Amino acid sequence: MTLTATGSPSLEDIARKTREAARQLGILSTEERNQGIEAIAAALEAATPDILAANAIDCENAVADGIAKPLYHRLKLTASKLQATIAGVRDVGKLPDPVGAVQIHRELDEGLILKRVTCPLGVLGIIFEARPDAAIQISALGIKSGNGVILKGGKEAIHSCTAIVKAIRQGLGTTKVDPEVVQLLTTREEIQELLKLDKYVDLIIPRGSNSFVQFVMNNTNIPVLGHADGVCHLYIDAAADMEKAVNITVDSKTQYPAACNATETLLVHRNIAANFLPLVAKGLQVHQVELRGDRITRDFLRDLAIAEATDEDWATEYTDLILSIKIVDSLEAAIAHINQYGSGHTDAIVTEDSAAASKFLAQVDAAGVFHNCSTRFADGFRYGFGAEVGISTSQMPPRGPVGLEGLITYKYQVTGNGHIVATYAGDHPKSFTHRDL
């Protein structure tokens, strides 16, 4: 074992140990892994006072350091938020086992059988900012999918993450799941080192700002699953129901503005702008939302003296109570704007015109495209995934909120009885049967 200057194991040794523990985890039964998940939930419940106390220290230090309001909202744990996260852990335990599923079962020839079977990826490296509840969600998903996890939380959440991972490992220690499958890194220097461990880490999942995600992508040879900005749009069509449109707009912006699935730009069809804008502005003002608008919007809302929206606004993820508004002449103009400025996260249309909705859902290039509902529904828990390890805006799968299905791969198993390829080649080759079983 390689030791650091302080006498502790090196990160390479930690990663090696995690990989060995993950291999053992992957061959445990569904029941044994589910017992590990339940043990995590019970341990977190027992440690709730300690976790909340640690989080209070983190929040106090973060305020003293001038943390941005959106990050503070992500950092702060309340008793109800922690309880909901623990409930999500138990939901993961109830999900179907993603490991060992036979996707293909085929006879290649008599006695020569092919199977494609799902299996864990191996070890996940998760780097996140100011999101201590992410450590809980990801650990549960890792155990369920048979993967080890190496967690690196932001410095602002160090006390919270330490208390959380301590409880998780204590819970796992009462089961057949080796606690070494969950590791926590605590220093910034370890990020660069983690990104170099392609021999032991199979996937990096960064959760943070656009610049942070880009940094990770540019500094590792390990595959990266992540998204940059969450520039989400809500388009109010000419055929929208006004009451639905106001309620959906207010929820999409204000229910949790720090989330990456909160709406940042509101697009409104010109034909309904005069009636809709005063109604939605009133609803948003109740929540102290700062509005920015193009020239036409500002004309319609001249009594509010709102700020002018710039090109920069159309491409900005505010993660705050700020909303930019643009008037468009058509559905096609709305789609064009979204595909130009959107980040491929989540975009929604409010309309009673089914043809317009179908066109929007087909032509908007995003991981999530919604009709007559809030963009805030773009979430692994709300999708029934139990939780999510992150959001992917890549064109390649997995895409959108990534749960268990994004944490497995597969292998081909072929079983024969002395079969050789030469039998199926040459002048008189034997034919394959290729019969699905």
Side-chain angles (χ1 to χ4, degrees), residues 307-376:
E308 180 179 1
T310 66
D311 282 346
E312 183 179 356
D313 284 301
W314 306 136
T316 297
E317 179 186 24
Y318 299 117
T319 59
D320 202 351
L321 290 171
I322 305 171
L323 181 68
S324 294
I325 306 175
K326 180 180 179 66
I327 307 302
V328 293
D329 292 328
S330 64
L331 168 65
E332 291 73 20
I335 293 172
H337 179 96
I338 292 170
N339 287 339
Q340 177 178 354
Y341 292 101
S343 60
H345 192 299
T346 304
D347 303 292
I349 180 174
V350 180
T351 185
E352 300 303 303
D353 182 341
S354 59
S358 295
K359 186 171 185 177
F360 183 94
L361 299 181
Q363 295 188 6
V364 167
D365 183 13
V369 283
F370 295 176
H371 175 208
N372 281 353
C373 59
S374 170
T375 59
R376 288 280 292 121

Side-chain angles (χ1 to χ4, degrees), residues 151-337:
L151 304 165
K152 173 62 183 78
K155 66 176 182 177
E156 64 281 345
I158 186 169
H159 294 91
S160 307
C161 290
T162 300
I164 286 169
V165 173
K166 178 183 177 182
I168 289 172
R169 288 172 62 97
Q170 285 177 340
L172 293 177
T174 65
T175 73
K176 291 188 177 181
V177 179
D178 188 342
E180 297 296 339
V181 296
V182 179
Q183 305 283 354
L184 176 67
L185 309 182
T186 57
T187 68
R188 186 176 183 85
E189 291 73 26
E190 289 171 312
I191 295 178
Q192 285 277 23
E193 193 175 348
L194 175 65
L195 297 180
K196 297 175 183 177
L197 295 178
D198 53 296
K199 184 178 179 181
Y200 302 105
V201 179
D202 299 280
L203 181 68
I204 294 288
I205 304 176
R207 298 180 63 168
S209 66
N210 180 31
S211 59
F212 172 69
V213 174
Q214 291 298 324
F215 168 82
V216 170
M217 291 178 171
N218 294 335
N219 285 275
T220 187
N221 292 322
I222 303 170
V224 177
L225 185 155
H227 75 283
D229 290 339
V231 183
C232 301
H233 296 78
L234 182 62
Y235 166 57
I236 311 303
D237 186 51
D241 177 286
M242 289 290 184
E243 183 177 359
K244 286 182 189 176
V246 171
N247 290 339
I248 291 171
T249 302
V250 172
D251 185 85
S252 294
K253 179 70 261 183
T254 70
Q255 196 274 331
Y256 186 35
C260 59
N261 58 12
T263 292
E264 308 293 15
T265 296
L266 179 67
L267 304 174
V268 181
H269 196 287
R270 183 186 296 270
N271 290 356
I272 63 165
N275 294 326
F276 174 72
L277 286 176
L279 293 174
V280 78
K282 182 179 178 181
L284 292 167
Q285 283 183 311
V286 172
H287 298 272
Q288 288 81 51
V289 177
E290 175 189 336
L291 301 179
R292 301 175 185 180
D294 63 359
R295 181 186 58 78
I296 305 173
T297 299
R298 295 172 71 213
D299 286 344
F300 280 126
L301 298 177
R302 63 174 60 89
D303 291 344
L304 300 181
I306 66 175
E308 180 179 1
T310 66
D311 282 346
E312 183 179 356
D313 284 301
W314 306 136
T316 297
E317 179 186 24
Y318 299 117
T319 59
D320 202 351
L321 290 171
I322 305 171
L323 181 68
S324 294
I325 306 175
K326 180 180 179 66
I327 307 302
V328 293
D329 292 328
S330 64
L331 168 65
E332 291 73 20
I335 293 172
H337 179 96

